Amino acid sequence: DAGVIQSPRHEVTEMGQEVTLRCKPISGHNSLFWYRQTMMRGLELLIYFNNNVPIDDSGMPEDRFSAKMPNASFSTLKIQPSEPRDSAVYFCASSLGQGLIDTQYFGPGTRLTVL
Amino acid sequence: DAKTTQPPSMDCAEGRAANLPCNHSTISGNEYVYWYRQIHSQGPQYIIHGLKNNETNEMASLIITEDRKSSTLILPHATLRDTAVYYCIAVSVRTDKLIFGTGTRLQVFP
C-alpha cells in the first residue's frame, strides 16, 4: 500500500492567495484527519471526517479555512485568503475505524510558506 | 481528556534499551494510552497503545502501572534511526480527540 498521499509536498505562496492542499487516504479507511504543526503550537487537529462526513471541525482556526471530502479517496483543505501566520506543515492522516481511537496513519505532510 | 507529562529530552546509547516515561495521573477508565513518534520532518508514526495491560509488538513494549497513572515505553535495542520525538497521548473513547503534547525528544548516540 502506498500509504497516505499528500500533495503538494511544498507550497510557497503570497499573502492573500488561495491555497489548496490535497490528501488521498489509505484505501478502505473510513476516517480522515487534517492536522497542522507549528513550532509555537505543536501538532493540532483541525478537522476530521468519518465516511466522508465532517464530524468535528472545532480545531479549524477561522472561516478562511475549509475542508471537503467529496469521496472516500480524496480530501482537500483550502485556505482563502492565506496569511503569513498560516505557514506550517499540514498533515493528513487516515484510520480504518470509526473514530480517533483507532490507529492513525499519517502522510508526509505539506510544508506551506505564506510570504 | 487526561493531560500527559513527559520529560522534554532524553539520551540513549545505541544498542541499549530506551525507557521513556509518561505521567498521566488524571487518566480515566475509558482512556487509552497511545504512543506515536515523529522522526524529523516526517508525519507521526504509530508505535503502540494499551488500556490496562502491558503490551508488546515488533517495535516496542508498553508498561502501564497498576493504578494507570503512569506508563513507560521501552525500545529494547535503540538504534540511530530511533532518534525522534515521542508522544504519549491519552485518548478518550468518549471524545475521540488525539491531542499531541510536546513529547520527549530522544537522541540515540553511537
Side-chain angles (χ1 to χ4, degrees):
Chain A
D1 197 318
V4 175
I5 299 173
Q6 291 186 247
S7 65
R9 294 293 309 277
H10 301 272
E11 176 80 32
V12 180
T13 190
E14 291 188 346
M15 182 174 64
Q17 296 298 307
E18 177 180 295
V19 175
T20 300
L21 311 182
R22 297 172 176 80
C23 175
K24 177 179 169 56
I26 293 172
S27 177
H29 280 193
N30 297 313
S31 297
L32 182 139
F33 314 84
W34 283 100
Y35 291 85
R36 177 174 67 176
Q37 186 171 33
T38 61
M39 288 293 292
M40 290 294 293
R41 299 176 66 89
L43 204 60
E44 305 173 279
L45 176 65
L46 299 177
I47 185 172
Y48 86 91
F49 295 84
N50 185 19
N51 291 323
N52 312 337
V53 176
I55 301 300
D56 185 346
D57 64 354
S58 59
M60 294 287 264
E62 48 197 273
D63 292 345
R64 296 184 299 105
F65 285 70
S66 63
K68 293 182 180 180
M69 192 162 185
N71 58 62
S73 59
F74 184 65
S75 176
T76 59
L77 178 68
K78 186 176 294 187
I79 308 172
Q80 166 63 19
S82 58
E83 296 182 3
R85 60 190 167 128
D86 301 330
S87 298
V89 180
Y90 291 81
F91 290 104
C92 175
S94 69
S95 72
L96 184 62
Q98 297 292 317
L100 290 161
I101 197 71
D102 203 3
T103 299
Q104 295 182 32
Y105 297 85
F106 285 75
T110 294
R111 182 173 297 276
L112 173 66
T113 302
V114 183
L115 302 174
Chain B
D1 296 336
K3 179 180 167 57
T4 61
T5 305
Q6 300 176 253
S9 63
M10 293 182 65
D11 290 337
C12 178
E14 189 177 20
R16 303 297 294 269
N19 297 284
L20 290 86
C22 179
N23 185 292
H24 32 78
S25 58
T26 61
I27 198 169
S28 64
N30 65 356
E31 289 181 302
Y32 286 74
V33 179
Y34 268 72
W35 284 83
Y36 281 78
R37 73 179 182 184
Q38 187 172 24
I39 297 170
H40 179 63
S41 297
Q42 298 180 21
Q45 176 191 25
Y46 166 79
I47 302 173
I48 199 167
H49 74 279
L51 184 62
K52 284 192 274 190
N53 300 322
N54 298 336
E55 304 286 345
T56 295
N57 63 20
E58 65 279 3
M59 288 183 68
S61 294
L62 175 61
I63 308 298
I64 303 175
T65 58
E66 195 169 338
D67 62 8
R68 301 188 69 239
K69 293 185 177 182
S70 66
S71 60
T72 301
L73 177 75
I74 301 172
L75 307 178
H77 305 287
T79 71
L80 298 178
R81 288 177 294 180
D82 291 323
T83 292
V85 178
Y86 287 77
Y87 297 98
C88 169
I89 306 165
V91 183
S92 170
V93 216
R94 182 175 54 84
T95 64
D96 289 346
K97 288 254 186 194
L98 196 61
I99 300 172
F100 286 85
T102 53
T104 295
R105 185 172 297 276
L106 175 68
Q107 179 70 52
V108 181
F109 57 90

